[in-house]
């Protein structure tokens, strides 16, 4: 990393999402499994539909998908009644073992993530993280990511807080408490989903949206290699618009681009600006 601080940074902590931000380029693990789980109940959803509520905790994600009129109509045509919380519970029970089986296959760090975390740590900036994954699943991600160099100081899962998950500020604020950060306005939330950006804004933090590696663009590495520059630019523009619309102060292609943004935010904090 060429970027370096001349003096102690004002930024106290960087708080990262996981899938699509630190690991799992394209945020593929949860997307594929939502499609499979719905298919087990005779409901056909597309990968694009599955991506729609990404960033929410997984039970809430299933609920949000079933609230989509076209998907709800499929459910009623198939089951003969509107979906209930008990139905969401049943789908979630199917989701969990599939997720536990598959998530390890999608835990590879996004290029540059280990180096960026090392750069932050060397600068004295604390590293937090949070995920829409439940704790059981996040533990599998951590077991794969930590040996590969993606090792935050703290990680909280989407099912661990009584107050709930995104877009509420609770997981971001749990990081503030765990990391002993004295001012939320000196934290940066980095996320590839709109609920994750809203989480950071609701917590009073600076927010950085991630486009190319994340859910909003949605390419796997292989798909991106086969896409034209025009196709990539079009998806990236839509992703940027959505993330900025959710409140992101900056957007970047991937975590590898973060250091310059951290330094820009640091300068703004030192100049007296707030999120």
């Amino acid at each position: 990393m060429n970027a370096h601080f001349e003096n102690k940074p004002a930024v106290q902590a960087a708080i990262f999402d996981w899938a699509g931000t630190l690991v799992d380029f394209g945020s593929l693990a949860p997307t594929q499994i939502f499609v499979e789980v719905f298919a087990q109940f005779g409901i056909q959803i597309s990968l694009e539909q599955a991506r729609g509520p990404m960033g929410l905790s997984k039970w809430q994600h299933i609920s949000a998908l079933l609230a989509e009129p076209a998907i709800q109509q499929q459910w009623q045509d198939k089951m003969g009644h509107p979906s209930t919380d008990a139905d969401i519970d049943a789908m979630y029970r199917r989701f969990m073992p599939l997720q536990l089986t598959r998530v390890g296959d999608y835990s590879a760090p996004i290029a540059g993530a280990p180096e960026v975390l090392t750069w932050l740590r060397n600068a004295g900036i604390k590293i937090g993280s949070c995920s829409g994954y439940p704790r059981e699943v996040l533990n599998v991600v951590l077991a794969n990511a930590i040996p590969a160099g993606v090792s935050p100081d703290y990680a909280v899962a989407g099912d661990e807080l009584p107050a709930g998950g995104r877009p509420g500020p609770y997981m971001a604020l749990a990081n503030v408490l765990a990391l002993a950060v004295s001012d939320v306005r000196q934290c940066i939330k980095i996320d590839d989903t709109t609920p994750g950006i809203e989480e950071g804004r609701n917590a009073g933090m600076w927010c950085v949206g991630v486009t190319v590696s994340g859910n909003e663009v949605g390419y796997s590495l292989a798909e991106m290699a086969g896409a034209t520059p025009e196709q990539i630019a079009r998806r990236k523009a839509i992703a940027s618009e959505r993330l900025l619309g959710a409140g992101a102060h900056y957007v970047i292609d991937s975590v590898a681009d973060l250091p310059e943004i951290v330094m820009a935010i640091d300068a703004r904090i030192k100049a007296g600006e707030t999120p």
Side-chain angles (χ1 to χ4, degrees), residues 140-229:
V140 177
V141 175
L142 289 167
N144 286 272
I146 290 172
V150 178
S151 179
D153 302 317
Y154 180 70
V156 61
D159 63 346
E160 290 190 295
L161 302 177
R166 299 164 180 154
Y170 314 111
M171 288 196 293
L173 294 177
N175 277 270
V176 170
L177 292 170
L179 299 174
V181 171
S182 63
D183 193 334
V184 294
R185 297 170 297 180
Q186 293 174 271
C187 294
I188 304 172
K189 176 71 199 303
I190 305 99
D191 207 295
D192 65 306
T193 69
T194 55
I197 295 298
E198 291 165 355
E199 169 194 23
R201 289 304 302 261
N202 287 335
M205 299 176 178
W206 297 90
C207 291
V208 178
V210 178
T211 57
V212 174
S213 73
N215 178 72
E216 294 294 336
V217 166
Y219 279 130
S220 68
L221 284 168
E223 288 169 338
M224 195 172 75
T228 67

Side-chain angles (χ1 to χ4, degrees), residues 84-271:
T84 65
D85 282 359
D87 295 320
I88 299 169
D89 289 340
M91 298 186 84
Y92 184 76
R93 286 194 294 270
R94 295 280 185 92
F95 178 88
M96 280 297 291
L98 276 174
Q99 187 78 92
L100 286 165
T101 300
R102 304 280 184 78
V103 73
D105 297 332
Y106 295 92
S107 296
I110 288 167
E115 293 81 4
V116 168
L117 297 195
T118 297
W119 178 82
L120 290 166
R121 195 163 272 130
N122 289 342
I125 296 171
K126 296 173 181 178
I127 302 167
S129 68
C130 51
S131 175
Y133 283 139
R135 172 49 70 175
E136 277 185 276
V137 176
L138 183 57
N139 283 343
V140 177
V141 175
L142 289 167
N144 286 272
I146 290 172
V150 178
S151 179
D153 302 317
Y154 180 70
V156 61
D159 63 346
E160 290 190 295
L161 302 177
R166 299 164 180 154
Y170 314 111
M171 288 196 293
L173 294 177
N175 277 270
V176 170
L177 292 170
L179 299 174
V181 171
S182 63
D183 193 334
V184 294
R185 297 170 297 180
Q186 293 174 271
C187 294
I188 304 172
K189 176 71 199 303
I190 305 99
D191 207 295
D192 65 306
T193 69
T194 55
I197 295 298
E198 291 165 355
E199 169 194 23
R201 289 304 302 261
N202 287 335
M205 299 176 178
W206 297 90
C207 291
V208 178
V210 178
T211 57
V212 174
S213 73
N215 178 72
E216 294 294 336
V217 166
Y219 279 130
S220 68
L221 284 168
E223 288 169 338
M224 195 172 75
T228 67
E230 293 76 19
Q231 289 171 323
I232 295 169
R234 185 163 55 249
R235 286 205 189 190
K236 183 177 166 181
I238 293 169
S240 295
E241 183 179 0
R242 283 178 54 80
L243 292 164
L244 290 167
H249 297 91
Y250 298 87
V251 292
I252 55 177
D253 287 359
S254 81
V255 66
D257 305 316
L258 186 63
E260 287 188 11
I261 303 302
V262 172
M263 295 190 73
I265 291 172
D266 191 73
R268 293 177 69 177
I269 295 170
K270 287 173 179 172

Side-chain angles (χ1 to χ4, degrees), residues 39-43 72-81:
Q40 289 181 13
F41 286 79
I43 310 299
Q72 181 61 212
Q73 189 60 57
Q74 275 197 71
W75 179 275
Q76 294 188 29
D77 291 345
K78 182 75 176 179
M79 305 299 181
H81 62 82

Side-chain angles (χ1 to χ4, degrees), residues 28-44:
L28 301 176
T31 312
Q32 302 280 357
I33 294 168
F34 282 121
V35 172
E36 291 182 35
V37 168
F38 273 76
Q40 289 181 13
F41 286 79
I43 310 299
Q44 304 305 311

